[in-house]
Amino acid sequence: SATLWHTENGVIETQRKFDVILSSSVVGYILPVQADHHIASCAEFLKDDGQLIVTLVLAFNIWAFLGSKRLVDAGDGTSFAYHYRKRELVNLLKRHGFTKFEYFALGGRILGTWKFNQWAYRMFPRFMTNVVPVMFPFLKIQHMITAYKL
């Protein structure tokens, strides 16, 4: 097992290739040009037939998201979230040689404060995880796409 570290100055060089790469909550916090570079780097470090797992959260400012606003201030004025459409992510992965896509939506966010949502997940975990995303698909917040390198 090996770990690949990313630093402020970029990826630490390695000659190793990996069977699986997890990109957890990276893509949703970088702009499309940076996302393209990130996915290209993942493809470079994966073995042939390696699996890439990309997760992202569409949880900031639900009203902006529902209003189709793509770039959203995360609330503190120093960071942002970028809302990608599923088709955009799949096309991005295809451009870098990925195939066999599987998409999963995990959990939902009901309207209200984060404190209220956290309370709801504690009190009604199955409802929040299994029912809310089915009944209200537009409220899904945790998304995961798996893909394989050609």
Side-chain angles (χ1 to χ4, degrees), residues 13-146:
E13 293 295 324
T14 182
Q15 296 300 316
R16 290 187 268 187
K17 299 283 183 176
F18 300 87
D19 295 313
V20 177
I21 292 178
L22 169 63
S23 173
S24 180
S25 292
V26 173
V27 173
Y29 297 97
I30 56 179
L31 296 171
V33 170
Q34 297 160 324
D36 189 74
H37 177 73
H38 175 70
I39 297 300
S41 295
C42 290
E44 180 183 338
F45 289 111
L46 266 178
K47 293 179 182 177
D48 289 340
D49 292 325
Q51 182 184 35
L52 175 62
I53 302 167
V54 177
T55 69
L56 64 150
V57 177
L58 298 179
F60 286 115
N61 196 336
I62 190 108
W63 297 115
F65 176 65
L66 292 176
S68 298
K69 188 173 180 184
R70 304 297 295 284
L71 183 63
V72 179
D73 184 338
D76 60 5
T78 62
S79 60
F80 65 90
Y82 190 88
H83 297 300
Y84 291 88
R85 292 179 177 88
K86 185 168 74 171
R87 181 181 302 149
E88 285 178 294
L89 291 174
V90 168
N91 288 338
L92 171 62
L93 292 165
K94 283 180 180 178
R95 278 198 307 274
H96 294 287
F98 289 97
T99 62
K100 296 188 233 173
F101 305 101
E102 286 188 85
Y103 171 78
F104 306 90
L106 314 163
R109 177 178 180 198
I110 55 178
L111 303 178
T113 65
W114 275 110
K115 187 175 183 177
F116 176 75
N117 277 269
Q118 290 169 344
W119 173 84
Y121 267 98
R122 273 194 315 276
M123 298 304 292
F124 313 104
R126 288 187 182 173
F127 177 77
M128 293 296 292
T129 304
N130 300 325
V131 177
V132 170
V134 173
M135 290 179 63
F136 308 101
F138 59 92
L139 296 177
K140 294 175 185 173
I141 60 168
Q142 181 71 30
H143 301 267
M144 181 173 75
I145 295 177
T146 62

